[in-house]
Amino acid sequence: MRLSHVIAALEELYPPSWAESWDAVGLVVGDPDQEVGRVLLAVDPVAAVIDEALEWGADLVVTHHPLLLRGVHSVAATTPKGRLIHRMIANGVALHTAHTNADVADPGVSDALARAVGLTGELRPIVPSADDPRRGLGRIGEMDGPVTLREFARRAAAGLPSTAWGLRAVGDPDREVRTVAVCGGAGDSLLDTVRAAGVDVYLTADLRHHPASEFAEHGGPALVDAAHWATEWPWLADAARRLAAAAPEAGKLETRVSTIVTDAWSLHEEGEQ
């Protein structure tokens, strides 16, 4: 398959027009006419992922996070990002990004997260898109039965990939949980919205001390904070399945989900009281 055909399939699933205005999505490195047989999917475009792509013989890497989110004036191999670009070009490996356009897709990043932490049945966006209420930021759904916050946190930890960050919660451990809101990646901008939504718990990543503390003081949902990378990783398998089904000559396209933990935090130690 030509790269242009694979990109067309990806952009049908995750149209670039759905991305936020500040985002940088689409083809980053690669010749549209080059042949693609193997596609590696990962959250982060970092050196370890490119090492895996080269070792496996991937022709295309699809990542959730952009490599070049902000404008640059040089891609010389004197910087980490410049070196990655040179390695990819020298080895014929293309790079494509689906970021906020994948966040709001139906299904998208938060759908995969919701299923990973145990939500069943119909899901709905926390913030629906103006042009399609089935799409939007985050998801709200139901557990298959009431559980305590402690048990929900245990299930969520078991359903997500393990990281040094782990998972932590704010709220009464014995609180009953039925309705859950989730948002893959940094989701503290939605705190007021989920409080008004009447959910029992909100699971996301990158929650900061002061917003979380103030949120807890005002009552409302419990909070569960997981590693950023871990909340977005479940989407990769869903994207791989959808790409294989949507791409022309799909049977000739081999996909692989990277299991390399690229979360920024790599060491966790418990303090002594």
PDB file of all heavy atoms in Angstrom, residues 124-150:
ATOM      1  N   ARG A 124     -21.452   8.609  26.443  1.00  0.00           N
ATOM      2  CA  ARG A 124     -21.772   9.922  25.873  1.00  0.00           C
ATOM      3  C   ARG A 124     -20.661  10.900  26.215  1.00  0.00           C
ATOM      4  O   ARG A 124     -20.009  10.767  27.254  1.00  0.00           O
ATOM      5  CB  ARG A 124     -23.120  10.427  26.386  1.00  0.00           C
ATOM      6  CG  ARG A 124     -23.164  10.688  27.885  1.00  0.00           C
ATOM      7  CD  ARG A 124     -24.579  11.042  28.341  1.00  0.00           C
ATOM      8  NE  ARG A 124     -24.648  11.496  29.720  1.00  0.00           N
ATOM      9  CZ  ARG A 124     -24.701  10.687  30.774  1.00  0.00           C
ATOM     10  NH1 ARG A 124     -24.673   9.382  30.606  1.00  0.00           N
ATOM     11  NH2 ARG A 124     -24.767  11.201  32.006  1.00  0.00           N
ATOM     12  N   PRO A 125     -20.423  11.898  25.356  1.00  0.00           N
ATOM     13  CA  PRO A 125     -19.345  12.854  25.638  1.00  0.00           C
ATOM     14  C   PRO A 125     -19.635  13.706  26.871  1.00  0.00           C
ATOM     15  O   PRO A 125     -20.796  14.012  27.169  1.00  0.00           O
ATOM     16  CB  PRO A 125     -19.311  13.725  24.377  1.00  0.00           C
ATOM     17  CG  PRO A 125     -19.999  12.927  23.324  1.00  0.00           C
ATOM     18  CD  PRO A 125     -21.044  12.125  24.039  1.00  0.00           C
ATOM     19  N   ILE A 126     -18.583  14.086  27.559  1.00  0.00           N
ATOM     20  CA  ILE A 126     -18.719  15.081  28.634  1.00  0.00           C
ATOM     21  C   ILE A 126     -19.052  16.432  28.020  1.00  0.00           C
ATOM     22  O   ILE A 126     -19.940  17.155  28.489  1.00  0.00           O
ATOM     23  CB  ILE A 126     -17.410  15.181  29.454  1.00  0.00           C
ATOM     24  CG1 ILE A 126     -17.108  13.848  30.146  1.00  0.00           C
ATOM     25  CG2 ILE A 126     -17.520  16.299  30.492  1.00  0.00           C
ATOM     26  CD1 ILE A 126     -15.746  13.828  30.837  1.00  0.00           C
ATOM     27  N   VAL A 127     -18.330  16.773  26.954  1.00  0.00           N
ATOM     28  CA  VAL A 127     -18.576  18.019  26.213  1.00  0.00           C
ATOM     29  C   VAL A 127     -18.825  17.645  24.757  1.00  0.00           C
ATOM     30  O   VAL A 127     -17.883  17.416  23.995  1.00  0.00           O
ATOM     31  CB  VAL A 127     -17.380  18.985  26.318  1.00  0.00           C
ATOM     32  CG1 VAL A 127     -17.690  20.287  25.570  1.00  0.00           C
ATOM     33  CG2 VAL A 127     -17.041  19.280  27.771  1.00  0.00           C
ATOM     34  N   PRO A 128     -20.084  17.555  24.326  1.00  0.00           N
ATOM     35  CA  PRO A 128     -20.367  17.163  22.942  1.00  0.00           C
ATOM     36  C   PRO A 128     -19.869  18.198  21.941  1.00  0.00           C
ATOM     37  O   PRO A 128     -19.863  19.402  22.215  1.00  0.00           O
ATOM     38  CB  PRO A 128     -21.901  17.068  22.910  1.00  0.00           C
ATOM     39  CG  PRO A 128     -22.324  16.963  24.346  1.00  0.00           C
ATOM     40  CD  PRO A 128     -21.303  17.738  25.124  1.00  0.00           C
ATOM     41  N   SER A 129     -19.463  17.715  20.773  1.00  0.00           N
ATOM     42  CA  SER A 129     -19.079  18.619  19.687  1.00  0.00           C
ATOM     43  C   SER A 129     -20.326  19.308  19.150  1.00  0.00           C
ATOM     44  O   SER A 129     -21.417  18.722  19.113  1.00  0.00           O
ATOM     45  CB  SER A 129     -18.390  17.840  18.567  1.00  0.00           C
ATOM     46  OG  SER A 129     -17.190  17.266  19.021  1.00  0.00           O
ATOM     47  N   ALA A 130     -20.160  20.543  18.707  1.00  0.00           N
ATOM     48  CA  ALA A 130     -21.300  21.329  18.243  1.00  0.00           C
ATOM     49  C   ALA A 130     -21.963  20.718  17.017  1.00  0.00           C
ATOM     50  O   ALA A 130     -23.190  20.802  16.853  1.00  0.00           O
ATOM     51  CB  ALA A 130     -20.848  22.760  17.944  1.00  0.00           C
ATOM     52  N   ASP A 131     -21.165  20.072  16.146  1.00  0.00           N
ATOM     53  CA  ASP A 131     -21.707  19.562  14.890  1.00  0.00           C
ATOM     54  C   ASP A 131     -22.162  18.113  14.967  1.00  0.00           C
ATOM     55  O   ASP A 131     -22.799  17.609  14.034  1.00  0.00           O
ATOM     56  CB  ASP A 131     -20.679  19.717  13.764  1.00  0.00           C
ATOM     57  CG  ASP A 131     -19.394  18.947  14.054  1.00  0.00           C
ATOM     58  OD1 ASP A 131     -19.114  18.696  15.242  1.00  0.00           O
ATOM     59  OD2 ASP A 131     -18.677  18.609  13.097  1.00  0.00           O
ATOM     60  N   ASP A 132     -21.838  17.426  16.072  1.00  0.00           N
ATOM     61  CA  ASP A 132     -22.224  16.022  16.209  1.00  0.00           C
ATOM     62  C   ASP A 132     -22.190  15.650  17.684  1.00  0.00           C
ATOM     63  O   ASP A 132     -21.116  15.478  18.257  1.00  0.00           O
ATOM     64  CB  ASP A 132     -21.270  15.119  15.411  1.00  0.00           C
ATOM     65  CG  ASP A 132     -21.700  13.662  15.442  1.00  0.00           C
ATOM     66  OD1 ASP A 132     -22.598  13.313  16.221  1.00  0.00           O
ATOM     67  OD2 ASP A 132     -21.099  12.863  14.688  1.00  0.00           O
ATOM     68  N   PRO A 133     -23.349  15.514  18.327  1.00  0.00           N
ATOM     69  CA  PRO A 133     -23.378  15.247  19.772  1.00  0.00           C
ATOM     70  C   PRO A 133     -22.809  13.898  20.167  1.00  0.00           C
ATOM     71  O   PRO A 133     -22.589  13.645  21.353  1.00  0.00           O
ATOM     72  CB  PRO A 133     -24.869  15.341  20.113  1.00  0.00           C
ATOM     73  CG  PRO A 133     -25.579  15.077  18.826  1.00  0.00           C
ATOM     74  CD  PRO A 133     -24.695  15.636  17.760  1.00  0.00           C
ATOM     75  N   ARG A 134     -22.548  13.009  19.193  1.00  0.00           N
ATOM     76  CA  ARG A 134     -21.948  11.721  19.521  1.00  0.00           C
ATOM     77  C   ARG A 134     -20.446  11.846  19.720  1.00  0.00           C
ATOM     78  O   ARG A 134     -19.812  10.986  20.326  1.00  0.00           O
ATOM     79  CB  ARG A 134     -22.238  10.701  18.420  1.00  0.00           C
ATOM     80  CG  ARG A 134     -23.715  10.372  18.251  1.00  0.00           C
ATOM     81  CD  ARG A 134     -23.932   9.545  17.005  1.00  0.00           C
ATOM     82  NE  ARG A 134     -23.473  10.269  15.810  1.00  0.00           N
ATOM     83  CZ  ARG A 134     -23.487   9.778  14.579  1.00  0.00           C
ATOM     84  NH1 ARG A 134     -23.917   8.549  14.379  1.00  0.00           N
ATOM     85  NH2 ARG A 134     -23.058  10.505  13.553  1.00  0.00           N
ATOM     86  N   ARG A 135     -19.864  12.911  19.182  1.00  0.00           N
ATOM     87  CA  ARG A 135     -18.441  13.157  19.342  1.00  0.00           C
ATOM     88  C   ARG A 135     -18.224  14.187  20.446  1.00  0.00           C
ATOM     89  O   ARG A 135     -19.159  14.847  20.887  1.00  0.00           O
ATOM     90  CB  ARG A 135     -17.827  13.692  18.040  1.00  0.00           C
ATOM     91  CG  ARG A 135     -17.853  12.740  16.875  1.00  0.00           C
ATOM     92  CD  ARG A 135     -16.970  13.247  15.734  1.00  0.00           C
ATOM     93  NE  ARG A 135     -17.362  14.554  15.230  1.00  0.00           N
ATOM     94  CZ  ARG A 135     -16.744  15.700  15.521  1.00  0.00           C
ATOM     95  NH1 ARG A 135     -15.717  15.710  16.354  1.00  0.00           N
ATOM     96  NH2 ARG A 135     -17.166  16.836  15.006  1.00  0.00           N
ATOM     97  N   GLY A 136     -16.959  14.348  20.873  1.00  0.00           N
ATOM     98  CA  GLY A 136     -16.653  15.379  21.842  1.00  0.00           C
ATOM     99  C   GLY A 136     -15.626  14.930  22.861  1.00  0.00           C
ATOM    100  O   GLY A 136     -15.137  13.797  22.823  1.00  0.00           O
ATOM    101  N   LEU A 137     -15.329  15.816  23.794  1.00  0.00           N
ATOM    102  CA  LEU A 137     -14.311  15.536  24.804  1.00  0.00           C
ATOM    103  C   LEU A 137     -14.846  14.636  25.908  1.00  0.00           C
ATOM    104  O   LEU A 137     -15.955  14.827  26.411  1.00  0.00           O
ATOM    105  CB  LEU A 137     -13.820  16.847  25.419  1.00  0.00           C
ATOM    106  CG  LEU A 137     -12.936  17.739  24.541  1.00  0.00           C
ATOM    107  CD1 LEU A 137     -12.662  19.052  25.256  1.00  0.00           C
ATOM    108  CD2 LEU A 137     -11.633  17.032  24.207  1.00  0.00           C
ATOM    109  N   GLY A 138     -14.016  13.669  26.304  1.00  0.00           N
ATOM    110  CA  GLY A 138     -14.347  12.803  27.426  1.00  0.00           C
ATOM    111  C   GLY A 138     -15.543  11.905  27.153  1.00  0.00           C
ATOM    112  O   GLY A 138     -16.190  12.000  26.099  1.00  0.00           O
ATOM    113  N   ARG A 139     -15.834  11.022  28.104  1.00  0.00           N
ATOM    114  CA  ARG A 139     -16.994  10.146  28.015  1.00  0.00           C
ATOM    115  C   ARG A 139     -17.583   9.924  29.405  1.00  0.00           C
ATOM    116  O   ARG A 139     -16.869   9.924  30.410  1.00  0.00           O
ATOM    117  CB  ARG A 139     -16.613   8.787  27.409  1.00  0.00           C
ATOM    118  CG  ARG A 139     -16.243   8.840  25.942  1.00  0.00           C
ATOM    119  CD  ARG A 139     -17.412   9.244  25.044  1.00  0.00           C
ATOM    120  NE  ARG A 139     -17.074   9.193  23.635  1.00  0.00           N
ATOM    121  CZ  ARG A 139     -16.566  10.213  22.942  1.00  0.00           C
ATOM    122  NH1 ARG A 139     -16.313  11.365  23.552  1.00  0.00           N
ATOM    123  NH2 ARG A 139     -16.313  10.083  21.652  1.00  0.00           N
ATOM    124  N   ILE A 140     -18.896   9.713  29.433  1.00  0.00           N
ATOM    125  CA  ILE A 140     -19.618   9.374  30.653  1.00  0.00           C
ATOM    126  C   ILE A 140     -20.321   8.045  30.416  1.00  0.00           C
ATOM    127  O   ILE A 140     -20.939   7.839  29.361  1.00  0.00           O
ATOM    128  CB  ILE A 140     -20.651  10.455  31.031  1.00  0.00           C
ATOM    129  CG1 ILE A 140     -19.948  11.789  31.336  1.00  0.00           C
ATOM    130  CG2 ILE A 140     -21.499  10.011  32.217  1.00  0.00           C
ATOM    131  CD1 ILE A 140     -20.898  12.943  31.564  1.00  0.00           C
ATOM    132  N   GLY A 141     -20.219   7.143  31.379  1.00  0.00           N
ATOM    133  CA  GLY A 141     -20.867   5.846  31.251  1.00  0.00           C
ATOM    134  C   GLY A 141     -21.155   5.244  32.609  1.00  0.00           C
ATOM    135  O   GLY A 141     -20.943   5.878  33.652  1.00  0.00           O
ATOM    136  N   GLU A 142     -21.628   4.005  32.604  1.00  0.00           N
ATOM    137  CA  GLU A 142     -22.051   3.334  33.829  1.00  0.00           C
ATOM    138  C   GLU A 142     -21.217   2.089  34.080  1.00  0.00           C
ATOM    139  O   GLU A 142     -20.800   1.398  33.148  1.00  0.00           O
ATOM    140  CB  GLU A 142     -23.525   2.924  33.717  1.00  0.00           C
ATOM    141  CG  GLU A 142     -24.476   4.043  33.381  1.00  0.00           C
ATOM    142  CD  GLU A 142     -24.658   5.036  34.516  1.00  0.00           C
ATOM    143  OE1 GLU A 142     -24.550   4.598  35.688  1.00  0.00           O
ATOM    144  OE2 GLU A 142     -24.907   6.226  34.244  1.00  0.00           O
ATOM    145  N   MET A 143     -20.996   1.783  35.350  1.00  0.00           N
ATOM    146  CA  MET A 143     -20.459   0.497  35.738  1.00  0.00           C
ATOM    147  C   MET A 143     -21.556  -0.558  35.571  1.00  0.00           C
ATOM    148  O   MET A 143     -22.748  -0.220  35.519  1.00  0.00           O
ATOM    149  CB  MET A 143     -19.978   0.525  37.186  1.00  0.00           C
ATOM    150  CG  MET A 143     -18.892   1.552  37.474  1.00  0.00           C
ATOM    151  SD  MET A 143     -17.343   1.194  36.618  1.00  0.00           S
ATOM    152  CE  MET A 143     -16.833  -0.311  37.463  1.00  0.00           C
ATOM    153  N   ASP A 144     -21.177  -1.828  35.507  1.00  0.00           N
ATOM    154  CA  ASP A 144     -22.189  -2.873  35.364  1.00  0.00           C
ATOM    155  C   ASP A 144     -22.929  -3.140  36.667  1.00  0.00           C
ATOM    156  O   ASP A 144     -23.872  -3.934  36.704  1.00  0.00           O
ATOM    157  CB  ASP A 144     -21.575  -4.169  34.825  1.00  0.00           C
ATOM    158  CG  ASP A 144     -20.440  -4.685  35.694  1.00  0.00           C
ATOM    159  OD1 ASP A 144     -20.200  -4.098  36.777  1.00  0.00           O
ATOM    160  OD2 ASP A 144     -19.778  -5.657  35.296  1.00  0.00           O
ATOM    161  N   GLY A 145     -22.545  -2.461  37.717  1.00  0.00           N
ATOM    162  CA  GLY A 145     -23.203  -2.533  39.013  1.00  0.00           C
ATOM    163  C   GLY A 145     -22.479  -1.619  39.977  1.00  0.00           C
ATOM    164  O   GLY A 145     -21.335  -1.223  39.725  1.00  0.00           O
ATOM    165  N   PRO A 146     -23.098  -1.239  41.080  1.00  0.00           N
ATOM    166  CA  PRO A 146     -22.446  -0.329  42.017  1.00  0.00           C
ATOM    167  C   PRO A 146     -21.217  -0.957  42.666  1.00  0.00           C
ATOM    168  O   PRO A 146     -21.229  -2.134  43.018  1.00  0.00           O
ATOM    169  CB  PRO A 146     -23.534  -0.036  43.059  1.00  0.00           C
ATOM    170  CG  PRO A 146     -24.452  -1.212  42.973  1.00  0.00           C
ATOM    171  CD  PRO A 146     -24.441  -1.639  41.538  1.00  0.00           C
ATOM    172  N   VAL A 147     -20.173  -0.152  42.815  1.00  0.00           N
ATOM    173  CA  VAL A 147     -18.951  -0.582  43.502  1.00  0.00           C
ATOM    174  C   VAL A 147     -18.503   0.565  44.396  1.00  0.00           C
ATOM    175  O   VAL A 147     -18.944   1.697  44.247  1.00  0.00           O
ATOM    176  CB  VAL A 147     -17.823  -0.939  42.511  1.00  0.00           C
ATOM    177  CG1 VAL A 147     -18.208  -2.129  41.640  1.00  0.00           C
ATOM    178  CG2 VAL A 147     -17.452   0.263  41.634  1.00  0.00           C
ATOM    179  N   THR A 148     -17.610   0.288  45.309  1.00  0.00           N
ATOM    180  CA  THR A 148     -17.026   1.357  46.116  1.00  0.00           C
ATOM    181  C   THR A 148     -15.949   2.071  45.308  1.00  0.00           C
ATOM    182  O   THR A 148     -15.433   1.540  44.307  1.00  0.00           O
ATOM    183  CB  THR A 148     -16.406   0.811  47.399  1.00  0.00           C
ATOM    184  OG1 THR A 148     -15.315  -0.058  47.044  1.00  0.00           O
ATOM    185  CG2 THR A 148     -17.430   0.056  48.237  1.00  0.00           C
ATOM    186  N   LEU A 149     -15.599   3.263  45.742  1.00  0.00           N
ATOM    187  CA  LEU A 149     -14.508   3.982  45.100  1.00  0.00           C
ATOM    188  C   LEU A 149     -13.225   3.167  45.174  1.00  0.00           C
ATOM    189  O   LEU A 149     -12.451   3.119  44.209  1.00  0.00           O
ATOM    190  CB  LEU A 149     -14.302   5.347  45.772  1.00  0.00           C
ATOM    191  CG  LEU A 149     -13.105   6.167  45.287  1.00  0.00           C
ATOM    192  CD1 LEU A 149     -13.206   6.474  43.797  1.00  0.00           C
ATOM    193  CD2 LEU A 149     -12.966   7.457  46.110  1.00  0.00           C
ATOM    194  N   ARG A 150     -12.988   2.508  46.296  1.00  0.00           N
ATOM    195  CA  ARG A 150     -11.796   1.672  46.442  1.00  0.00           C
ATOM    196  C   ARG A 150     -11.773   0.577  45.379  1.00  0.00           C
ATOM    197  O   ARG A 150     -10.757   0.311  44.742  1.00  0.00           O
ATOM    198  CB  ARG A 150     -11.754   1.058  47.838  1.00  0.00           C
ATOM    199  CG  ARG A 150     -10.546   0.154  48.078  1.00  0.00           C
ATOM    200  CD  ARG A 150     -10.615  -0.539  49.420  1.00  0.00           C
ATOM    201  NE  ARG A 150     -10.400   0.385  50.536  1.00  0.00           N
ATOM    202  CZ  ARG A 150     -11.353   0.838  51.338  1.00  0.00           C
ATOM    203  NH1 ARG A 150     -12.618   0.459  51.137  1.00  0.00           N
ATOM    204  NH2 ARG A 150     -11.085   1.652  52.325  1.00  0.00           N
TER     205      ARG A 150
END
